[in-house]
Amino acid sequence: DRKFVQVAAPRLESFTLASFGQQTKGALLLGVDPDLEHRLTSLKDKLVDGQYFSANEKAVLVSEGLADYLRIGVNDTLVLISQGYHGINSAGKYVVSGLVKFPAPDLNNQLIYLPLKEAQWFYGADNRLTSIAFAIDHADLTDRVIADISQNLNLEIYEIMGWREMLPELLQQIELDYVGGLIMRYILYAVIAFGILGTFLMMVNERRYEFGILMAIGMKRIKLQAVVLLETIMIAFTGTFVGLLISLPIIVWFYFNPIKLGGEYEAMMATYGLEAIMPFSMEPAVFTGEMTIVFVITICLAIYPLWAIYKLKINTAIRQ
């Protein structure tokens, strides 16, 4: 569905031999539309030196690790040699417009960007592309968009892949992280449950005399249970609502200013091609889901005070 696609960025991808002075290294050359690529991958924000190129400019962006290996800097001339379309030789010299840095070492050590029109000329592949990268509204819509495109595409000639097929290692890391987070959530739920149960235990033990007096003067046991259940529901609502009010400003702050990780964590995450940050989510489902779970836990634990009232002996409660 086109309405779910935010950006469609054309690319011409191939390998090339990059050379500067006495240094030479194989690299991955990406011909891109500068504006669309920035909207897709925020490429301009990854600049660490120099300036971003334009669509009609004969210049390249070089990844920082590759630039260090080649000992090349901004405004130096990079020589590219490769094999073009139909096996023709391709060669060119380009000014380095800027240096970009990627968290993934594999990308940071071999990536070169060239404007799409110039890349098509370089490879002798006019009006040709190797891929089109799509950015959609939400990752959950990937399968739907793939199915829609597949209906209008000759799959014997073209191939369409979602991010799960393209990045299986990242998918495994996400699943592992999800399982770890799930275990931590269950531990937190257990801590919350014991805290709420402790509150109910104190409430029942400290109010036995009150419950006994109310029942002694004629209040029915079922009505007393209804009053206590209503108090429990009010406690649950108040606790979850106040918790949301207190946590929301903190989450908003860290959503726009994520926690940056360093040391061993930064190196470990870099090996998976991930940025070394601890991001926060503003998805409404996160808040509503947790609030619902805490509310359900509270209502379930409310069985204890109801059971205590049911078993309460008036004579014993009054004499306390």
Side-chain angles (χ1 to χ4, degrees):
D1 291 350
R2 293 183 180 180
K3 61 182 179 181
F4 297 132
V5 177
Q6 295 178 331
V7 183
R11 290 174 174 175
L12 181 60
E13 305 166 320
S14 187
F15 289 95
T16 185
L17 194 64
S19 178
F20 178 73
Q22 301 298 317
Q23 299 295 111
T24 301
K25 187 178 181 180
L28 174 62
L29 181 63
L30 265 67
V32 299
D33 182 292
D35 294 332
L36 293 177
E37 189 66 25
H38 172 65
R39 291 175 56 191
L40 180 71
T41 62
S42 301
L43 181 59
K44 189 184 298 185
D45 298 335
K46 294 178 173 61
L47 274 173
V48 293
D49 194 12
Q51 60 184 4
Y52 201 58
F53 53 21
S54 62
N56 298 316
E57 192 174 356
K58 294 184 177 181
V60 293
L61 297 177
V62 182
S63 57
E64 187 181 46
L66 178 60
D68 290 341
Y69 179 86
L70 296 176
R71 300 173 187 173
I72 194 172
V74 175
N75 295 326
D76 288 333
T77 300
L78 180 68
V79 177
L80 300 179
I81 302 173
S82 185
Q83 186 178 55
Y85 190 56
H86 287 314
I88 63 174
N89 292 328
S90 56
K93 296 192 297 183
Y94 299 98
V95 175
V96 177
S97 175
L99 304 181
V100 290
K101 182 178 181 179
F102 298 93
D106 290 344
L107 296 179
N108 200 49
N109 293 332
Q110 64 171 347
L111 206 55
I112 299 174
Y113 285 92
L114 189 66
L116 181 59
K117 292 182 180 179
E118 186 62 27
Q120 290 172 335
W121 175 87
F122 178 77
Y123 285 112
D126 295 337
N127 300 318
R128 294 181 181 274
L129 304 172
T130 56
S131 64
I132 301 177
F134 294 96
I136 57 179
D137 291 336
H138 199 282
D140 294 338
L141 299 172
T142 301
D143 293 337
R144 181 173 178 176
V145 173
I146 289 177
D148 182 69
I149 296 176
S150 299
Q151 294 177 356
N152 303 284
L153 198 67
N154 186 349
L155 299 181
E156 294 182 358
I157 301 176
Y158 303 102
E159 182 179 12
I160 179 168
M161 300 174 64
W163 66 272
R164 295 180 181 87
E165 293 79 19
M166 296 181 65
L167 302 169
E169 297 85 0
L170 179 59
L171 180 60
Q172 292 177 357
Q173 178 65 18
I174 292 174
E175 291 176 347
L176 182 62
D177 183 68
Y178 175 77
V179 172
L182 200 60
I183 294 174
M184 289 299 300
R185 286 175 64 185
Y186 286 144
I187 294 174
L188 289 175
Y189 293 151
V191 172
I192 292 171
F194 280 111
I196 296 173
L197 181 60
T199 302
F200 288 161
L201 286 170
M202 292 178 60
M203 180 183 71
V204 171
N205 290 331
E206 292 179 358
R207 298 176 65 184
R208 283 183 182 276
Y209 179 77
E210 175 189 341
F211 293 157
I213 292 295
L214 290 173
M215 293 173 62
I217 62 177
M219 187 174 188
K220 293 183 178 180
R221 199 179 296 265
I222 187 67
K223 288 186 177 180
L224 182 57
Q225 289 176 320
V227 171
V228 172
L229 180 60
L230 182 60
E231 289 180 1
T232 303
I233 294 174
M234 292 178 63
I235 291 173
F237 269 119
T238 303
T240 52
F241 183 71
V242 172
L244 176 63
L245 291 180
I246 294 175
S247 62
L248 190 59
I250 300 174
I251 293 174
V252 170
W253 168 261
F254 283 112
Y255 177 78
F256 292 103
N257 302 276
I259 299 174
K260 295 184 179 180
L261 304 176
E264 296 180 358
Y265 291 100
E266 183 178 9
M268 180 184 67
M269 296 184 74
T271 59
Y272 290 101
L274 301 176
E275 190 174 1
I277 62 172
M278 184 182 295
F280 283 66
S281 176
M282 288 289 292
E283 288 289 334
V286 175
F287 300 94
T288 57
E290 301 304 317
M291 291 174 64
T292 302
I293 291 173
V294 173
F295 181 78
V296 170
I297 291 175
T298 306
I299 297 302
C300 292
L301 293 175
I303 295 175
Y304 171 75
L306 299 181
W307 176 82
I309 293 173
Y310 176 76
K311 290 292 185 178
L312 184 67
K313 294 180 179 180
I314 299 177
N315 294 334
T316 304
I318 293 176
R319 289 175 185 174
Q320 286 184 347

